[in-house]
Amino acid sequence: MAWADFQYEIYLNGMTGAVPRLPTDLTRLEELTARRLGPGPVGYVAGSAGDGSTARANRAALARRRIVPRMLRDVRERDLSCELLGRPVPAPVALAPVGVLSILHPGAEPAAARAAAARGVPYVLSSASSTPMEVVAEAMGEGERWFQLYWPKDVEVARSFLRRAEAAGFTALFVTLDTPLLSWRPRDLDQAYLPFLHGVGTANYFSDPAFRAGLAKPVEEDPNAAVMHFVSMFADPGKTWPDLAFLRENWAGPIVLKGILHPDDAHAAAEAGMDGVVVSNHGGQQVAGAVAAADALPGVADAVGDRLTVLFDSGIRTGDDIAKALALGADGVLVGRPYAYGLALDGEQGVDHVIRCLLAELDLTLALSGHATPGTLSRADLTEGPEV
């Protein structure tokens, strides 16, 4: 079945009076989530740095690009499958690392991971998950899984995380570079809401032998001390490019640097022996007033697209957004907030709904624009106009 056939499934189900449990316009999910959950959890996921200008710029940069459909091309049979980081995937899409998912739904990371595995979509697990990586891996079975590292100050904890991830079957490492410090996030600050201080999003740390070795008492006996230890070593603003050698020495698979926006940094990643980059501004959550990720994407793709896998996130909400990112030079796209909202609203089924909607819309967007595969998209298929 083509991904687009999901729409016919919906219409046929409608013959019995059934309609989708969630909207098929995924841009509506944030508002519905805000009605369902308290301002703390919603603000943590939906919020942005400063006044939100970077998040708005992300959406505007995608909206400004308009697809130019081409006619009379054979699109009867379409194939969205491709290879990312040496692994075959059914479409150039993966679920991005989103931490502390238990604040949205009790199913948390395992629910999202199961949904991804069921559709063959890679799942990127955050270091800051509510569930230990081994439990998430078990929930996924043979599903494709990648691990995201917030690079801690404690070298032994970092080494232990990498060993555990490899043992649990995570095949690629995503290293987030844009969060050496927590940004100024008014929605969180106004609620004084930081889940980590309550021991949420710390499961990988609290279950880690190297982390526990640094505690005077076991986590269970003194959880507050464990939280403070976590805070003291979570990120390291002193890391520089030469430190990447540590990762290569301790991880055998592909390494992807997440948070790259400048072509020179992309070149540096290639020179350091990395395998890929994610063009990302953390969904607008880290630097207020930063360049929109979609505006940075072409420059990075031109700089290293022939040497590295170029992935993209920040601002993706719809299937046509994915098509635009691919046309701008991305090999694949990471989707974050939409599946988090799907999880919040309907657990594993909600994540599945988001995946199917995105890929059905991508499939239809490609076909109706004259493309049987994502690989034929290019910047020539886009034009720029005023924001819509």
Side-chain angles (χ1 to χ4, degrees), residues 61-250:
L62 288 165
R64 193 173 70 248
R65 270 89 179 184
R66 313 301 298 172
I67 297 168
V68 183
R70 301 297 302 275
M71 299 297 114
L72 293 176
R73 295 179 171 182
D74 185 355
V75 293
R76 287 173 298 176
E77 295 186 7
R78 299 173 305 282
D79 184 3
L80 271 60
S81 66
C82 63
E83 186 176 284
L84 293 177
L85 301 171
R87 311 291 289 189
V89 294
V93 176
L95 298 193
V98 180
V100 292
L101 288 180
S102 63
I103 66 174
L104 300 179
H105 189 276
E109 293 83 11
R114 282 193 299 269
R119 298 295 170 187
V121 173
Y123 177 71
V124 190
L125 178 69
S126 172
S127 285
S129 66
S130 308
T131 313
M133 63 183 83
E134 293 83 0
V135 176
V136 177
E138 183 178 2
M140 291 195 74
E142 298 300 314
E144 185 66 34
R145 48 190 177 268
W146 302 334
F147 182 70
Q148 177 267 343
L149 178 71
Y150 282 116
W151 200 345
K153 291 180 182 177
D154 189 320
V155 67
E156 292 307 319
V157 171
R159 185 177 284 112
S160 180
F161 270 28
L162 300 184
R163 289 173 178 167
R164 290 172 61 195
E166 182 178 18
F170 292 86
T171 60
L173 177 67
F174 283 63
V175 185
T176 296
L177 301 182
D178 57 17
T179 316
L181 298 167
L182 194 63
S183 69
W184 188 257
R185 301 181 186 180
R187 289 182 68 170
D188 295 340
L189 291 164
D190 289 350
Q191 299 294 323
Y193 185 82
L194 189 61
F196 304 115
L197 297 184
H198 301 279
V200 181
T202 58
N204 283 318
Y205 300 84
F206 287 6
S207 62
D208 189 80
F211 179 90
R212 295 173 70 94
L215 301 174
K217 296 181 180 179
V219 174
E220 298 75 16
E221 294 182 16
D222 194 346
N224 289 335
V227 166
M228 290 300 102
H229 184 54
F230 162 81
V231 171
S232 71
M233 52 80 68
F234 173 72
D236 184 1
K239 290 285 193 300
T240 60
W241 291 99
D243 292 312
L244 292 173
F246 167 84
L247 300 176
R248 182 50 74 197
E249 292 165 2
N250 287 277

Side-chain angles (χ1 to χ4, degrees), residues 22 27 31 51 92 140 220 228 243 278 290-291 320 343 362 368:
L22 296 180
T27 65
E31 180 184 356
D51 67 354
M140 291 195 74
E220 298 75 16
M228 290 300 102
D243 292 312
V278 183
V291 61
D320 63 278
L343 177 70
L362 172 61
L368 294 170

Side-chain angles (χ1 to χ4, degrees), residues 271-357:
E271 292 301 313
M274 302 295 101
D275 301 280
V277 295
V278 183
V279 178
S280 168
N281 56 30
H282 216 99
Q285 290 188 321
Q286 276 303 100
V287 179
V291 61
D295 287 336
L297 175 57
V300 172
D302 287 345
V304 297
D306 60 341
R307 302 172 64 188
L308 304 180
T309 298
V310 177
L311 303 175
F312 174 84
D313 77 19
S314 299
I316 296 291
R317 299 291 181 274
T318 65
D320 63 278
D321 288 338
I322 297 171
K324 292 174 184 179
L326 297 173
L328 289 171
D331 297 306
V333 167
L334 306 183
V335 177
R337 285 183 173 107
Y339 90 79
Y341 300 143
L343 177 70
L345 293 166
D346 200 18
E348 183 178 339
Q349 286 184 300
V351 179
D352 182 66
H353 175 82
V354 168
I355 293 170
R356 298 189 74 189
C357 286

Side-chain angles (χ1 to χ4, degrees), residues 347-380:
E348 183 178 339
Q349 286 184 300
V351 179
D352 182 66
H353 175 82
V354 168
I355 293 170
R356 298 189 74 189
C357 286
L358 283 170
L359 294 182
E361 189 175 16
L362 172 61
D363 189 5
L364 288 165
T365 299
L366 289 173
L368 294 170
S369 302
H371 300 274
T373 70
T376 60
L377 286 166
S378 73
R379 286 173 222 173

